[in-house]
Amino acid sequence: MPTFAASPGSSTTWRWLRRALWLLLGLMLALVLLVLFFPWDLLRGPVNRYVSEKTGRAFEITRRLDVKPGWRQATVMLDGLTFANPGWARSPHLVRAERAEIDVRLWPLLTGQVDLPRIALAAPELGLQMEADGRRTWALGKSDSGEGGSGTVPRIGLLQVDRGALDFLAPPYGVDIQAGFDFDSARGAMPLHFEMKGRYQGQPLQAKGRTGHVLQIDAVGAPPFPLEIRARAGATRLNAEGRVGSLSTLDGIEATFDLRGRTLGDLYKLLGVALPETPPYAVQGQLRKNGQRWDAAALKGRLGLSDIAGDLAFEQGGTRPRLSGELQSKLMDMDDLGPLIGLQPSARSARAVKLEDIPPPVTQEQAQRRRTDGKVLPTAPLDFERLRAMDADVRYTAQRIRNVREVPLERGSVHVKLKDAVLSLDPLDLGVAGGSFKGSIRIDGSSRPADIRASLDMRGLQLARLLPALESSGNSVGRLDGRLNIAGRGESVATWLGASSGDVALLMGSGQFGNLLPVFATLVGGDVIKFLARGDRDVQLRCAALAFDIQKGLMNSRTLVLDTSNAIFQAEGSINLASEQLDLVIRPEPKSPSILSVRTPLTVKGTLGDPRPGVEAAPLIARAAAVVAGASINPLLALAATLEPGPGKDADCAALRADANKPASAAARQGAARAKAIR
């Protein structure tokens, strides 16, 4: 078998290849050794000059530079570090620290991305600032003016500090705070304590708490860090403890919280959540955040005298944030509803929740005493900014409503919807005096003044429960039905009512009640004598109708009649909702003859806040003159002057109801039609 010897040329080639490989391996080994043992501090000066030139601000490693290289990541160790802020910033330094360790991913640097998985700082002083035009002191770039703030933003994973200070200014977000840190490893899982003060959204801010040694800024997959905080912003207090996944987005929050303050309305400026005005509150619950969604679950607490419970969700993103959820009260107190319509909380409601170090709110009673116009309708303007700030879909149910100020509300539920600056309470369902009060209210805040409409129906209200003075007699019965349909424009409850048009009507069928009220209302002396001698008797109610046309805030009587078995009451007049002036005249007419009568028309003058009942003096003066003149001739003639012939006649109840159900003026009809259109 033949054999082949290697040619001289091929042997030479293989020898050169082996030598080249060994040379390459040697160079690589030398490079590795050079990197491992390179005196990196020699590069401190060039690095200082390079970074300063690239960012446009002074950068200096003051004592020593060292590097622990790796294949994918290197750790840069700086002994003494100062890095200036751009000239427009308040704080002179972005960071100044005794020591720093910075992990840098190498491959992202090829694309211009600065990726820092970990930063450890010893005794740092940080100066962070954001401006409305997008400038940030931690943006590493050089603008045309030679200042930083418009370049690459480093991506920071974990931040580790021991002690130090932070100055953070962000005018677009209403943030101006200074914080101090203190580290002690003997404190267990949360060795880092912090305290901060400053202002947030125009409110003075104070906070303190503790957290873990390592804070997750933007690291993916890193474990959440524990956090406890006690904060006070203006008249709002927050105590919370739990854990946070990421500081940059606040994702991964799982915490329990205790929130209390003077009104939930304050949270709009602090958190951007447009909640209604309330009396002082204290609410506890569980808070979670995932992406753009915040969940406040297992809520439990008090709003003034009322308890509150339920779940809420707040979703950010999209055109506007959206609040949704369901809330319930076992007992809702009427006093707590005042702030919803622009009134201050009552004194009893304001005292129900104790707030340490928070001045109590101005009470309804104090506010009324301070008003110089003598009016009572709420003048607090609608907050159009809040109506446009977010959407909402929240259901609320009160199992029982406490009887306050003689209003026998028993239960209630409402579906609150806010969409594109249009707020609707639909349906609104209240249990009142054994009956129901149902309907809708809509406030269209897309333009100013707001288009406000209310359409409400009353069914089956029991007269005795509506008027406790009658209920106490034990023998008063009767059913009351009615409606309210009004529409207009305004920027408060007062200006809306003062400009609204529509229809109001109350209707009652047959019933009965004790005769004390009609006896004294008709001032018939004979019936008074019989009442005193025989005691209370049932007086039959045949029917009643009270109806007003409302035209641009002026309520003109359409039908005002109360027909009983012994008298008929007919009234007329007006109520001016703009000036709150009352001008009503009630004419009682007994249906049977009697003696010792001093009957005369009754008047109601004054204002809604200060009604002044009285009598028309002329008929009384004329009858008194007749008594005096008759007595001068013969005492029997004086008695004859008090005789009551009984001119009252039974009313046509069917006609009364028909008149009460038909608005008389065109303006009232149009206003009522606009109101009913929302249902």
Side-chain angles (χ1 to χ4, degrees):
M1 184 172 184
T3 59
F4 299 93
S7 66
S10 61
S11 299
T12 302
T13 301
W14 280 109
R15 283 197 300 273
W16 279 106
L17 285 174
R18 286 196 297 270
R19 290 174 182 174
L21 289 174
W22 281 110
L23 179 61
L24 180 60
L25 290 174
L27 289 174
M28 293 179 61
L29 178 60
L31 180 62
V32 169
L33 292 174
L34 176 64
V35 169
L36 291 175
F37 297 102
F38 184 80
W40 293 98
D41 193 52
L42 295 176
L43 299 179
R44 178 157 48 98
V47 168
N48 289 344
R49 291 189 294 272
Y50 177 81
V51 175
S52 298
E53 172 60 27
K54 296 294 289 184
T55 61
R57 28 182 161 149
F59 175 86
E60 184 179 7
I61 305 168
T62 58
R63 291 189 292 273
R64 181 174 177 78
L65 167 66
D66 199 2
V67 176
K68 289 183 178 179
W71 176 245
R72 294 183 176 181
Q73 179 174 297
T75 299
V76 180
M77 293 170 287
L78 314 174
D79 189 6
L81 170 66
T82 62
F83 192 7
N85 264 325
W88 49 263
R90 178 175 67 184
S91 178
H93 294 97
L94 172 65
V95 58
R96 182 165 60 182
E98 290 293 321
R99 292 178 303 280
E101 287 189 8
I102 305 173
D103 292 343
V104 183
R105 288 199 172 100
L106 301 177
W107 298 112
L109 293 175
L110 299 177
T111 61
Q113 174 64 49
V114 180
D115 197 345
L116 310 177
R118 182 184 69 96
I119 297 179
L121 301 173
E125 296 178 15
L126 305 173
L128 307 180
Q129 186 168 333
M130 300 175 63
E131 292 297 320
D133 58 8
R135 291 178 296 168
R136 291 162 288 182
T137 56
W138 58 93
L140 304 180
K142 184 176 179 180
S143 67
D144 294 338
S145 61
E147 295 179 346
S150 59
T152 301
V153 176
R155 187 164 54 211
I156 301 172
L158 302 176
L159 177 64
Q160 183 176 353
V161 297
D162 53 8
R163 66 188 186 279
L166 166 69
D167 180 84
F168 184 36
L169 176 63
Y173 301 97
V175 177
D176 184 358
I177 60 174
Q178 297 79 44
F181 304 92
D182 177 31
F183 178 80
D184 185 348
S185 59
R187 294 168 179 160
M190 288 189 282
L192 187 64
H193 283 206
F194 62 88
E195 291 192 16
M196 64 178 66
K197 62 181 180 179
R199 298 189 70 82
Y200 179 67
Q201 297 296 345
Q203 301 290 325
L205 172 69
Q206 292 181 339
K208 62 181 180 179
R210 56 183 187 152
T211 183
H213 185 30
V214 177
L215 311 181
Q216 180 180 329
I217 305 298
D218 198 20
V220 177
F225 62 90
L227 176 67
E228 288 184 5
I229 186 169
R230 307 288 183 266
R232 170 180 176 175
T236 303
R237 303 288 183 273
L238 170 66
N239 293 340
E241 58 181 273
R243 58 183 188 171
V244 181
S246 170
L247 275 180
S248 64
T249 62
L250 295 181
D251 271 356
I253 286 182
E254 293 185 9
T256 60
F257 70 90
D258 183 309
L259 185 67
R260 56 189 65 211
R262 204 153 46 194
T263 170
L264 283 173
D266 286 346
L267 297 183
Y268 174 63
K269 289 185 177 180
L270 296 175
L271 303 177
V273 184
L275 295 176
E277 297 296 326
T278 67
Y281 68 92
V283 179
Q284 301 82 42
Q286 300 172 1
L287 184 66
R288 293 187 294 272
K289 183 177 186 290
N290 185 10
Q292 296 294 315
R293 180 184 173 100
W294 295 78
D295 286 288
L299 294 173
K300 186 178 181 181
R302 302 194 65 81
L303 303 180
L305 296 154
S306 306
D307 67 274
I308 192 75
D311 302 281
L312 291 174
F314 185 65
E315 297 179 74
Q316 298 172 305
T319 306
R320 275 183 302 276
R322 183 175 183 270
L323 180 70
S324 61
E326 295 192 6
L327 298 172
Q328 310 88 33
S329 293
K330 294 179 180 179
L331 175 63
M332 192 274 285
D333 196 291
M334 269 293 291
D335 265 15
D336 299 325
L337 296 183
L340 293 177
I341 59 172
L343 297 174
Q344 294 295 124
S346 71
R348 58 194 297 271
S349 181
R351 293 193 301 264
V353 175
K354 303 299 183 184
L355 301 175
E356 295 183 3
D357 302 326
I358 299 179
V362 175
T363 66
Q364 195 175 124
E365 295 81 357
Q366 292 171 332
Q368 189 58 39
R369 286 195 295 268
R370 295 177 185 178
R371 289 187 69 168
T372 58
D373 56 8
K375 297 181 179 181
V376 295
L377 293 178
T379 58
L382 294 171
D383 195 327
F384 289 86
E385 181 184 353
R386 297 192 193 194
L387 289 176
R388 297 165 184 164
M390 71 177 203
D391 295 335
D393 189 336
V394 178
R395 297 180 184 270
Y396 172 72
T397 302
Q399 298 177 13
R400 186 164 68 91
I401 301 179
R402 181 177 290 161
N403 182 6
V404 178
R405 294 197 186 98
E406 310 302 335
V407 179
L409 286 170
E410 297 153 355
R411 56 168 180 79
S413 65
V414 62
H415 187 181
V416 180
K417 290 173 283 189
L418 177 59
K419 179 70 174 177
D420 298 332
V422 178
L423 174 66
S424 63
L425 310 181
D426 183 23
L428 173 64
D429 184 359
L430 302 176
V432 184
S436 65
F437 200 86
K438 298 181 180 180
S440 302
I441 298 175
R442 192 186 76 164
I443 302 174
D444 185 348
S446 60
S447 62
R448 300 184 66 169
D451 179 5
I452 307 176
R453 309 183 196 184
S455 180
L456 302 166
D457 290 332
M458 292 172 283
R459 294 287 182 268
L461 276 65
Q462 298 176 21
L463 181 64
R465 298 184 64 181
L466 192 64
L467 301 175
L470 294 179
E471 186 177 24
S472 62
S473 68
N475 61 347
S476 298
V477 296
R479 171 190 168 112
L480 182 66
D481 299 320
R483 66 177 181 276
L484 180 149
N485 293 298
I486 55 177
R489 288 185 172 272
E491 297 197 3
S492 68
V493 172
T495 57
W496 167 56
L497 290 176
S500 62
S501 297
D503 166 43
V504 176
L506 296 174
L507 304 173
M508 240 188 113
S510 60
Q512 69 180 37
F513 49 84
N515 69 348
L516 183 61
L517 178 63
V519 162
F520 285 99
T522 56
L523 299 180
V524 177
D527 282 347
V528 173
I529 294 174
K530 288 188 288 183
F531 170 77
L532 294 175
R534 296 162 46 188
D536 196 12
R537 290 188 298 113
D538 291 344
V539 173
Q540 297 299 315
L541 173 68
R542 298 187 66 251
C543 58
L546 292 83
F548 288 88
D549 279 2
I550 307 176
Q551 182 174 354
K552 294 183 178 180
L554 184 63
M555 297 178 63
N556 290 308
S557 61
R558 183 166 73 241
T559 306
L560 298 177
V561 176
L562 177 66
D563 188 12
T564 72
S565 57
N566 69 345
I568 183 170
F569 301 81
Q570 301 192 68
E572 61 184 6
S574 64
I575 302 173
N576 191 319
L577 296 176
S579 64
E580 300 189 14
Q581 294 292 318
L582 303 174
D583 186 9
L584 299 169
V585 178
I586 306 170
R587 293 184 172 83
E589 296 181 356
K591 295 183 178 179
S592 59
S594 63
I595 61 172
L596 301 178
S597 173
V598 289
R599 175 175 60 87
T600 188
L602 310 175
T603 62
V604 182
K605 303 288 186 179
T607 66
L608 294 177
D610 184 22
R612 297 174 183 175
V615 296
E616 288 193 353
L620 281 179
I621 293 173
R623 184 160 293 194
V627 170
V628 172
S632 65
I633 301 172
N634 188 316
L636 293 178
L637 291 177
L639 185 61
T642 65
L643 289 175
E644 175 57 68
K649 303 297 182 183
D650 288 348
D652 184 343
C653 291
L656 280 179
R657 285 191 291 269
D659 290 342
N661 280 318
K662 295 179 181 178
S665 71
R669 289 193 297 270
Q670 292 171 1
R674 291 184 62 234
K676 288 189 286 188
I678 67 175
R679 301 183 66 177

